[in-house]
Amino acid sequence: MITTKLFELRDDAERLRLDLLALKDREQANYQPTLQEEIDAISEALMKSCVPEYFKVAVVGQFKTGKSSFVNRLAEERLAGVETNPETAAITLFRFGEEPRAVVRLLTAAEWNRMTELYEEAPQHPDAYRVAGLHGFNEDIAKRKNSLGELIPFDRIDPEALAAEWIVEEGREYAIACENWATKEGKLAFRKQIQKFTSTREPLHYFVKEIVVYAPVPILKDHVELIDTPGLNDTQLYRGQLTEDLLREVDAILFLTQSGASFSQFDKEFLVRQLRKKRLRHVRLVVTQVDTTYEKAKLDAAEDDEDPPTFGDVKAKEESRLRSEIRRTLDELLQDNQLSEEDGYYYIEQLDSLKVHFTSAKWYAEGDRERSGIEEVRNALFEVLSENYRLTQMVEGLEQSVNHARRRLRDF
């Protein structure tokens, strides 16, 4: 793994640095400045090659593709809130912690005031959407209905009073403790407190910058930070922009698309953006709710008086459909007259090698681990992280610094 190589290189560089420090103390004064230059160069290379505290893994897709359910199955713990109606409205980071807790980071007064000014001048501006959403919250929530078609009762809010309560000069950090992680009831109470800041049914999500949830979950113990994001096609554009901004800094992307659904324009545009940024090798395409597609295929076969298909047959058909959609996307890209031949070959290679995984949170919950595909994605995730671009750069940079120092010392 790339991390093993990095640790070995760091040990090697540190030994060389210590040897040079000892050598400098014994050498003549006129040799010491040259030795100090090499010591400083290696120290700087070591500083630049520090292993990141967390490997950031973003779970991305359109809303209602099952992102939160997928996060929960991947972590083998119900971390993210899963509700039948509201989609995720705030970026939520999941990190390892022996003591379960959450920290909600809210906007500063300066940030909120700037958004308020924009709202007064240009209400349609994307950066004004939080304020616009807060002011339109009563009207919007009054239209919401339950599964029976009945209007959902709610308490009206005073937008100005709410902002005055939650927005402070330096930005408030609101701590949420988990009273009892050992019981189902304790975990549920913990999640419900968090959902006050993540659900579109709650107005507080308009003030949230991010939420960090710490939990004793094995997958997070390996310096993995799972990130549950708002939908890319969220009707509130600022939430989609939050996701796009976040993706600039992540180490791996698990891009979710729903099984059986057509490959949407949002899906295509997302892949094209990652391709143009040369970040597609960090992406794994995860097809969710494959159990629904399989059951439908069996019903269709029964209606046509045919033998039921195997799960392997359905997976192969789904992948073939997706590959065709991806190929059409590639054909559209290659028609661009401004595209260089080098970029064209790169696009072909990257899209053809894009890996696809089929998953079912339902099957995983029922104990059908193999068909659920969750374990396969978990392994693929660590494969992506082992090929991490940032770590590769660190290894290359550290190798060059150590080799350069040794060559220069030999010449010296």
Side-chain angles (χ1 to χ4, degrees), residues 48 67 120 147 181 185 261 338:
K48 289 180 178 178
K67 293 191 298 299
E120 292 168 354
S147 57
W181 182 259
E185 293 74 19
Q338 304 300 315

Side-chain angles (χ1 to χ4, degrees), residues 284-397:
R284 289 292 184 271
L285 186 60
V286 179
V287 184
T288 63
Q289 302 171 34
V290 70
D291 56 284
T292 302
T293 302
Y294 180 49
E295 292 304 320
K296 183 178 182 304
K298 289 196 296 183
L299 286 173
D300 290 344
E303 287 181 5
D304 295 335
D305 201 23
E306 297 176 350
D307 291 335
T310 66
F311 178 54
D313 292 336
V314 174
K315 273 178 63 176
K317 186 176 180 180
E318 266 290 271
E319 181 161 2
S320 176
R321 179 183 68 81
L322 282 170
R323 294 286 181 193
S324 296
E325 294 282 0
I326 291 169
R327 173 59 66 174
R328 273 196 288 273
T329 302
L330 177 59
D331 290 341
E332 292 168 10
L333 276 172
L334 295 178
Q335 290 171 12
D336 184 354
N337 294 328
Q338 304 300 315
L339 191 69
S340 70
E341 186 175 346
E342 181 183 352
D343 282 345
Y345 282 123
Y346 173 79
Y347 289 175
I348 292 170
E349 189 272 329
Q350 289 295 302
L351 278 176
D352 282 349
S353 62
L354 179 64
K355 294 184 180 178
V356 182
H357 304 278
F358 294 88
T359 66
S360 166
K362 177 176 178 289
W363 283 345
Y364 192 84
E366 292 172 351
D368 192 347
R369 300 296 178 92
E370 184 175 349
R371 283 199 309 173
S372 75
I374 298 295
E375 192 62 40
E376 180 185 315
V377 175
R378 200 177 287 130
N379 293 335
L381 171 59
F382 285 107
E383 179 186 312
V384 174
L385 293 178
S386 73
E387 300 166 354
N388 183 275
Y389 178 66
R390 281 194 295 164
L391 294 183
T392 302
Q393 281 191 318
M394 289 178 190
V395 167
E396 290 173 355

Side-chain angles (χ1 to χ4, degrees), residues 127-320:
D127 288 345
Y129 279 6
R130 288 178 185 258
V131 181
L134 183 67
H135 282 271
F137 180 79
N138 289 325
E139 182 181 350
D140 177 63
I141 204 75
K143 300 174 185 175
R144 299 203 176 190
K145 298 179 180 180
N146 60 23
S147 57
L148 300 176
E150 303 165 338
L151 290 173
I152 300 172
F154 73 100
D155 296 324
R156 296 182 68 84
I157 65 162
D158 180 341
E160 301 299 337
L162 205 61
E165 179 184 354
W166 288 93
I167 298 295
V168 298
E169 194 66 33
E170 298 301 319
R172 187 173 175 182
E173 285 198 354
Y174 183 80
I176 300 173
C178 180
E179 300 298 334
N180 191 349
W181 182 259
T183 67
K184 181 179 178 180
E185 293 74 19
K187 292 178 181 178
L188 177 61
F190 182 50
R191 287 198 306 273
K192 284 193 174 297
Q193 289 186 75
I194 294 171
Q195 284 173 12
K196 291 178 182 177
F197 298 91
T198 62
S199 171
T200 56
R201 286 180 178 170
E202 301 286 348
L204 295 180
H205 76 266
Y206 289 112
F207 304 135
V208 176
K209 292 177 80 168
E210 67 178 21
I211 299 171
V212 184
V213 179
Y214 297 89
V217 173
I219 193 173
L220 305 178
K221 200 169 187 177
D222 293 319
H223 298 276
V224 169
E225 177 184 82
L226 277 178
I227 309 172
D228 190 16
T229 63
L232 288 169
N233 59 334
D234 199 303
T235 53
Q236 292 284 349
L237 295 183
Y238 82 88
R239 294 202 288 256
Q241 190 58 51
L242 285 175
T243 300
E244 289 287 354
D245 292 343
L246 171 79
L247 295 182
R248 297 173 189 163
E249 303 174 359
V250 300
D251 301 295
I253 299 170
L254 300 176
F255 182 60
L256 273 56
T257 185
Q258 190 174 336
S259 177
S262 59
F263 205 60
S264 74
Q265 191 62 30
F266 282 100
D267 294 337
K268 292 178 182 178
E269 289 174 357
F270 174 80
L271 288 181
V272 168
R273 283 196 298 275
Q274 302 311 309
L275 193 59
R276 292 190 189 280
K277 295 172 185 174
K278 299 190 185 303
R279 290 187 55 85
L280 200 62
R281 66 177 178 176
H282 303 310
V283 176
R284 289 292 184 271
L285 186 60
V286 179
V287 184
T288 63
Q289 302 171 34
V290 70
D291 56 284
T292 302
T293 302
Y294 180 49
E295 292 304 320
K296 183 178 182 304
K298 289 196 296 183
L299 286 173
D300 290 344
E303 287 181 5
D304 295 335
D305 201 23
E306 297 176 350
D307 291 335
T310 66
F311 178 54
D313 292 336
V314 174
K315 273 178 63 176
K317 186 176 180 180
E318 266 290 271
E319 181 161 2
S320 176

